[in-house]
Amino acid sequence: AQSVTQLGSHVSVSEGALVLLRCNYSSSVPPYLFWYVQYPNQGLQLLLKYTSAATLVKGINGFEAEFKKSETSFHLTKPSAHMSDAAEYFCAVSVGGGADGLTFGKGTHLIIQP
Amino acid sequence: GAVVSQHPSRVICKSGTSVKIECRSLDFQATTMFWYRQFPKQSLMLMATSNEGSKATYEQGVEKDKFLINHASLTLSTLTVTSAHPEDSSFYICSASNRAGKGYNEQFFGPGTRLTVL
């Protein structure tokens, strides 16, 4: 079975600083990996996804992530944090090509300090 | 992009009653729909997977007789929480995908339904 570990339940950065949210996965087969953002009392919005093409994936709102097989990681970064980035971020893995449900990490709450 | 809606967005019910939540794919045919549950300040947990015209497949620990899932058409799936109790209070989120394409078939998420059982 696959799993996702997100290091840090809360991450605080200053506005304009680098955002780094960590995600490590475990999978016995090549995975599909995702980052989602969730604002309070709302559903999920897809930030970006890795589906076995380029290992450096660019997403919306200036976010990007790099798939590193050797490190089993898929960390999310953004060069300059904005106040509107404050939200809950979830890393997720799928191994069934869309036929299976996603396995989510526990989430990281991103706090942006003014 | 693909849009998935859920109705209602919020529901409050009394203990012992049943509640139905609808999940609709508005601009594509959803061959597969997924139901997730999210407790406050926690992650999403997959409850079940339903393929159009077939019985849903439930994850371990999810009571199929309590959480009835119907996926009778390519655009609609329903989740009925039967004899709801306060511990069923949660945020229920559905997602939908179309498995007709090659490669990865993306899941599109609905906005969620907040269920509160008194």
Side-chain angles (χ1 to χ4, degrees):
Chain A
Q2 62 275 13
S3 66
V4 173
T5 301
Q6 290 184 239
L7 296 177
S9 59
H10 291 77
V11 170
S12 179
V13 302
S14 298
E15 189 175 18
L18 171 72
V19 174
L20 170 61
L21 304 183
R22 300 179 186 273
C23 172
N24 288 89
Y25 70 91
S26 173
S27 173
S28 58
V29 299
Y32 301 95
L33 295 160
F34 310 84
W35 275 100
Y36 288 89
V37 61
Q38 184 180 37
Y39 296 97
N41 296 311
Q42 294 187 27
L44 301 179
Q45 181 180 14
L46 179 66
L47 284 177
L48 48 80
K49 61 180 183 284
Y50 167 76
T51 56
S52 74
T55 57
L56 181 61
V57 182
K58 293 186 183 298
I60 62 172
N61 301 339
F63 285 94
E64 64 180 38
E66 185 172 9
F67 172 70
K68 292 186 176 181
K69 183 178 179 181
S70 60
E71 299 177 7
T72 61
S73 69
F74 191 57
H75 302 330
L76 181 71
T77 61
K78 181 174 180 178
S80 178
H82 191 271
M83 295 300 291
S84 61
D85 295 326
E88 193 78 18
Y89 291 80
F90 292 98
C91 181
V93 64
S94 168
V95 298
D100 61 331
L102 300 180
T103 300
F104 287 86
K106 293 185 180 295
T108 298
H109 186 64
L110 178 61
I111 301 164
I112 310 297
Q113 305 281 3
Chain B
V3 179
V4 176
S5 69
Q6 281 184 243
H7 178 79
S9 58
R10 290 177 177 270
V11 58
I12 300 173
C13 69
K14 292 182 179 180
S15 184
T17 61
S18 295
V19 174
K20 180 183 285 188
I21 302 169
E22 294 185 347
C23 175
R24 293 182 184 273
S25 57
L26 300 184
D27 50 4
F28 69 101
Q29 293 185 324
T31 52
T32 304
M33 285 186 169
F34 305 89
W35 286 94
Y36 297 83
R37 180 168 54 186
Q38 184 180 29
F39 290 108
K41 299 189 183 302
Q42 295 188 30
S43 188
L44 285 79
M45 299 296 292
L46 178 66
M47 298 175 66
T49 302
S50 72
N51 294 299
E52 186 266 338
S54 302
K55 287 185 178 181
T57 301
Y58 291 81
E59 295 299 301
Q60 190 173 9
V62 178
E63 300 176 58
K64 63 179 181 180
D65 294 331
K66 181 169 187 61
F67 298 99
L68 301 180
I69 292 172
N70 184 282
H71 190 173
S73 78
L74 285 171
T75 59
L76 174 64
S77 176
T78 59
L79 168 67
T80 301
V81 183
T82 62
S83 186
H85 291 285
E87 57 265 31
D88 299 323
S89 298
S90 188
F91 195 48
Y92 292 87
I93 304 176
C94 73
S95 70
S97 73
N98 182 339
R99 296 173 56 189
K102 293 182 179 180
Y104 181 78
N105 296 290
E106 184 171 342
Q107 291 184 31
F108 300 94
F109 283 82
T113 296
R114 173 77 60 192
L115 170 63
T116 303
V117 184
L118 302 177

